Amino acid sequence: MEIRLGVIGPEDSVKHILNSAEPFADITLLPFSYTTIDQVDEIIHQNRDSIDQWFFSGQVPYTYALSKQLIQEKDGIYPPLYGASLLGKVLEALMDLEEVVQKISLDTIQEEELQTTKQYFSLQKLQIFSYSYPDFRPVDEIVEYHRSLFEKGKTQVAFTCIRAVYLQLKDLGIPCYRIYPSHLSIYFTLRLLKERGVSSWYQRSQLALLGVELLPPDEEEEGYLFSYELKHKELSLKRLLLELAERINGSFVQIGDGLYFIYTTRGEIEFKLDKSDLFHLIETVYSHSKYHIRIGIGYGLNALQAEENVRTAFRNARKNTSSKVVLVDEKKKVTEYLSERKALQYDYQKWVDGEWSEVLRKANISPTALAKIESLANFYKKEEVNAQEVASWLGSSERNARRILAELENLKLATSKSVQLNGSKGRPRKVYRLIFNNAPTKTNI
């Protein structure tokens, strides 16, 4: 297995990383140099399908890519800058300037790391004007910080981690040194990226099952289920599903009337299928046939697990009358896509493991229902709920919701109080404060 890492940064930083990566086998480093930061957009868009992980040269390109939503945190990393890198450059400045350097300006390196370095190397007499930041900052802003301090006589030398800042300060005639990540920092970053890449390969090769369930109209004429009109509509749906199967290199199978499976891999679905495509399929089927469909996706380490998960996805989807897309992964995490951009994720596995399974069985509470209440309470940022809200979340009756909330109180997962609604003369209504964070784990329940 060969892991492909895309190295993004200014040309000199990319070369520095490549020189430090020689000891690594089973890793292919593909260099992508840029002259201006906005070129990162095009680099990632054009090469994302051929890269397992992104190795950014520093904090600036990494946080820029995150802010533009070009990557997620799991897709890349950059080597941290430690105080040892600064110390080496300070010694270089001492040799070049042939004078004692006591006042410097520095950007990017975090304040905590600076304090640790000063204490470890007894550099308390070195006055450092630090410009630390956790995200992307414009080059001109950082240049102005160094320039202002130097012209006011507050610093003797500027130290920067950014190539563009270094070049501008040199043009201004300000003594400046460029800080690079240490070889050790690059080495450990490459190790982490290799582990991530291997994990990503195995994950992408997981079996995936995409299921489509056809929902006939609510009101049907007698004999409609066996009419030629219905068969023509099913043929139209099959054509759409065959096109989808071809797109994701899947195998199309009809399981029964109105139930269809497409066998493929997780990588094909995640890289070639956007959630907007699935909602578009739902809309297209309805416009052609006036039929609603549900879509369930199951990931698994084998065919049996993938099929179990796709059927779990269908069970969750059936609890809601509207068409929707539900995904269940190999860890039993459920994701309900309420729209193209809105999703709800919950993990009911923790309520299945250990003694919770028996506790919930005796209380007649579904682990899925409990996980959904927990997730929706976090989603809507609600610490207190009533039976009406829980009934709406679960698609059940208020009577059932009251029963579940009462059981949660018995299990010490909720506390209740009575409140009088404004303007109401009836009985006070019970409100429950959820305390899932206090739930014991399976090891100490």
Side-chain angles (χ1 to χ4, degrees):
M1 181 186 301
E2 189 174 68
I3 308 301
R4 296 166 65 88
L5 303 181
V7 184
I8 298 182
E11 185 177 2
D12 57 343
S13 295
V14 170
K15 287 182 179 178
H16 178 67
I17 291 171
L18 295 178
N19 291 335
S20 300
E22 294 178 359
F24 279 85
D26 302 327
I27 290 182
T28 298
L29 295 177
L30 303 176
F32 298 98
S33 302
Y34 64 79
T35 53
T36 58
I37 191 67
D38 59 315
Q39 292 174 332
V40 172
D41 300 63
E42 184 178 359
I43 290 172
I44 293 179
H45 280 309
Q46 292 184 353
N47 299 280
R48 68 168 71 248
D49 291 341
S50 59
I51 297 297
D52 295 309
Q53 287 280 305
W54 292 102
F55 190 152
F56 293 89
S57 63
Q59 175 180 312
V60 170
Y62 173 74
T63 54
Y64 173 83
L66 279 179
S67 66
K68 296 295 289 291
Q69 298 183 339
L70 302 173
I71 64 164
Q72 299 179 24
E73 289 186 6
K74 64 181 179 64
D75 298 324
I77 201 172
Y78 67 93
L81 289 165
Y82 297 118
S85 299
L86 170 64
L87 183 62
K89 287 297 177 179
V90 170
L91 291 174
E92 184 180 335
L94 289 172
M95 299 294 292
D96 291 345
L97 300 176
E98 297 182 352
E99 63 176 289
V100 176
V101 175
Q102 292 184 325
K103 298 180 293 183
I104 68 172
S105 59
L106 171 69
D107 60 53
T108 308
I109 296 180
Q110 299 303 305
E111 190 66 35
E112 297 82 1
E113 179 62 27
L114 285 179
Q115 295 303 323
T116 301
T117 302
K118 290 176 73 173
Q119 292 177 8
Y120 188 81
F121 293 103
S122 300
L123 297 175
Q124 284 78 8
K125 292 184 179 181
L126 180 63
Q127 188 176 6
I128 303 177
F129 293 87
S130 172
Y131 187 71
S132 302
Y133 51 92
D135 49 17
F136 170 74
R137 297 295 167 89
V139 169
D140 293 342
E141 181 180 317
I142 301 173
V143 170
E144 177 59 25
Y145 176 79
H146 290 287
R147 186 195 65 78
S148 176
L149 288 170
F150 182 78
E151 291 182 352
K152 291 176 181 178
K154 293 184 177 181
T155 59
Q156 300 165 269
V157 187
F159 292 86
T160 180
C161 306
I162 305 167
R163 181 174 181 270
V165 174
Y166 171 77
L167 294 175
Q168 288 195 35
L169 291 175
K170 295 291 284 185
D171 289 341
L172 293 171
I174 298 175
C176 181
Y177 290 85
R178 174 91 184 279
I179 299 176
Y180 294 93
S182 67
H183 289 283
L184 191 61
S185 176
I186 293 173
Y187 174 81
F188 284 116
T189 303
L190 282 170
R191 268 185 36 175
L192 176 59
L193 286 175
K194 181 178 178 180
E195 292 172 3
R196 280 191 182 182
V198 171
S199 175
S200 177
W201 264 94
Y202 282 119
Q203 192 176 69
R204 277 188 250 169
S205 62
Q206 285 179 356
L207 192 64
L209 190 54
L210 189 152
V212 175
E213 187 176 37
L214 185 65
L215 308 177
D218 295 333
E219 296 182 3
E220 299 166 347
E221 297 179 4
E222 187 175 352
Y224 181 76
L225 288 174
F226 307 99
S227 69
Y228 284 106
E229 182 182 356
L230 173 63
K231 300 303 179 186
H232 282 297
K233 289 180 178 180
E234 285 185 350
L235 286 173
S236 177
L237 173 61
K238 286 182 183 180
R239 178 181 60 80
L240 293 172
L241 294 179
L242 280 170
E243 292 174 356
L244 178 63
E246 183 179 15
R247 179 176 174 183
I248 59 177
N249 294 317
S251 175
F252 175 76
V253 180
Q254 181 171 356
I255 303 301
D257 288 339
L259 183 60
Y260 311 90
F261 282 173
I262 298 175
Y263 290 85
T264 183
T265 63
R266 181 172 184 164
E268 292 291 329
I269 287 181
E270 291 184 346
F271 284 98
K272 296 183 179 179
L273 203 59
D274 193 82
K275 300 305 172 291
S276 60
D277 297 321
L278 298 178
F279 280 95
H280 178 69
L281 175 64
I282 291 172
E283 294 170 0
T284 302
V285 170
Y286 184 76
S287 64
H288 287 183
S289 64
K290 303 303 179 186
Y291 272 45
H292 292 292
I293 62 172
R294 298 190 188 103
I295 297 177
I297 303 174
Y299 295 150
L301 302 177
N302 51 53
L304 178 61
Q305 188 184 46
E307 184 166 344
E308 287 176 349
N309 289 340
V310 82
R311 294 188 184 278
T312 299
F314 278 138
R315 283 196 298 272
N316 282 277
R318 288 175 189 137
K319 295 174 183 177
N320 200 312
T321 55
S322 60
S323 300
K324 63 194 311 185
V325 179
V326 180
L327 183 151
V328 180
D329 68 13
E330 76 285 359
K331 296 180 180 178
K332 303 297 183 184
K333 286 186 178 179
V334 181
T335 304
E336 294 186 6
Y337 294 94
L338 310 177
S339 66
E340 295 178 18
R341 297 183 180 180
K342 194 175 181 181
L344 172 69
Q345 188 177 72
Y346 50 93
D347 181 7
Y348 68 86
Q349 192 62 32
K350 75 174 186 178
W351 302 109
V352 175
D353 291 339
E355 295 181 31
W356 271 117
S357 176
E358 182 63 20
V359 170
L360 295 181
R361 187 187 65 79
K362 290 180 179 178
N364 194 23
I365 299 176
S366 162
T368 304
L370 186 54
K372 198 166 186 177
I373 293 171
E374 179 183 20
S375 181
L376 282 164
N378 292 331
F379 182 80
Y380 291 113
K381 300 185 181 349
K382 291 185 70 69
E383 293 184 357
E384 295 183 347
V385 298
N386 56 43
Q388 187 177 10
E389 290 171 319
V390 171
S392 174
W393 291 351
L394 300 179
S396 68
S397 66
E398 285 192 39
R399 180 180 179 182
N400 184 54
R402 283 194 294 270
R403 180 191 64 80
I404 291 175
L405 288 170
E407 290 291 351
L408 292 183
E409 187 174 19
N410 291 335
L411 295 173
K412 309 299 183 184
L413 295 176
T415 58
S416 68
K417 64 181 180 180
S418 297
V419 296
Q420 185 71 47
L421 298 180
N422 292 334
S424 173
K425 296 182 180 180
R427 290 190 306 172
R429 175 175 293 184
K430 268 195 173 183
V431 173
Y432 292 82
R433 184 176 182 272
L434 302 175
I435 47 176
F436 290 124
N437 291 338
N438 295 335
T441 63
K442 64 180 179 180
T443 58
N444 60 15
I445 186 172

